Amino acid sequence: LFLSCTAEGGCTSNVSHGSSFKNNQAERRGGAIAWLGEQPEVSYDVEFSNNQAFFGQNISGIPHTITPISSSDVSTVKLPLTPVPQDYQTQVLLQDQRSGNTLQSPFLFAIVDAYGQVITSDSLTEANIELIPNQNANDGVVHGGQQRADKGIFNFSGMYLRLTPGTEGTYVIRTDSFAFDTFPESYRTFKISFRECTRGEIKRA
């Protein structure tokens, strides 16, 4: 079932109670239901069974937000299968980083739909990480902050970061390359804290 509905047209769609979707297949997304535009209302008792697709075995939506994840194996990514809230607090994602160093461990973000599913069909979207300037972060440097999605995941390992030791920087990851104007959160802010220099390290004024 493919649903396309826009708010401008005063269109709404719903899948009512008692409906069932069994043994369906889709080549790319939405084994049972795929939609564009306005999110349809799906009754809590709609039955899904043995549906298959490359992304969204039962239901798939459009890109909704960018979220940090801890593993590039999407089978282990545990995101809520309920609508992702659009409001969130800026989180400290990395702590005690050494200024002037490259990230050695994976630093991952995922494109997810309204159900918290990683959009594994997307290997085209590009994202960029930038430092948000403020009075304590005028000397900040970011190299390697632009990446292309690989099956819905951005990997920023190897990114070079420099900021005054002992301070905290606020960064933003953003993208404008989604194909849908309805993408509500095409950016996300987060923080990274940097430790003081240790013996043998140089802190330049």
Side-chain angles (χ1 to χ4, degrees):
L1 178 62
F2 177 77
L3 302 171
S4 180
C5 216
T6 61
E8 291 78 5
C11 171
T12 59
S13 58
N14 62 79
V15 182
S16 60
H17 65 87
S19 300
S20 63
F21 297 84
K22 301 178 181 180
N23 303 316
N24 297 288
Q25 283 188 319
E27 183 176 345
R28 291 188 60 80
R29 67 187 195 93
I33 301 172
W35 56 268
L36 297 178
E38 291 295 299
Q39 183 175 348
E41 295 184 11
V42 180
S43 178
Y44 72 93
D45 60 351
V46 171
E47 182 182 358
F48 296 99
S49 176
N50 197 35
N51 301 299
Q52 298 180 18
F54 184 71
F55 150 61
Q57 289 187 346
N58 292 321
I59 184 170
S60 71
I62 60 176
H64 183 86
T65 191
I66 304 172
T67 188
I69 59 174
S70 58
S71 172
S72 60
D73 182 358
V74 296
S75 66
T76 66
V77 174
K78 302 300 183 184
L79 297 172
L81 295 180
T82 56
V84 178
Q86 293 186 33
D87 56 332
Y88 52 80
Q89 294 182 343
T90 300
Q91 299 172 295
V92 179
L93 298 184
L94 295 174
Q95 295 181 327
D96 299 325
Q97 295 297 299
R98 191 181 82 177
S99 179
N101 199 26
T102 57
L103 300 180
Q104 302 301 315
S105 57
F107 187 45
L108 308 172
F109 288 83
I111 309 167
V112 300
D113 69 2
Y115 309 100
Q117 301 173 119
V118 178
I119 301 182
T120 54
S121 58
D122 190 339
S123 293
L124 295 175
T125 296
E126 293 185 351
N128 189 54
I129 289 179
E130 300 173 343
L131 175 69
I132 299 176
N134 60 48
Q135 60 183 3
N136 298 319
N138 292 323
D139 64 339
V141 174
V142 178
H143 289 308
Q146 186 169 2
Q147 297 292 330
R148 175 173 289 183
D150 180 16
K151 296 181 180 178
I153 295 176
F154 304 104
N155 188 347
F156 291 94
S157 61
M159 182 171 61
Y160 172 90
L161 298 171
R162 191 182 75 204
L163 196 66
T164 302
T167 63
E168 186 178 75
T170 301
Y171 296 80
V172 59
I173 176 172
R174 69 173 84 245
T175 179
D176 58 5
S177 54
F178 286 107
F180 308 105
D181 293 335
T182 51
F183 180 65
E185 293 294 342
S186 58
Y187 70 95
R188 181 161 192 161
T189 56
F190 60 93
K191 293 180 179 180
I192 298 176
S193 68
F194 295 83
R195 62 170 174 77
E196 293 284 0
C197 292
T198 60
R199 184 185 295 272
E201 295 177 342
I202 300 175
K203 179 177 180 179
R204 292 184 172 88

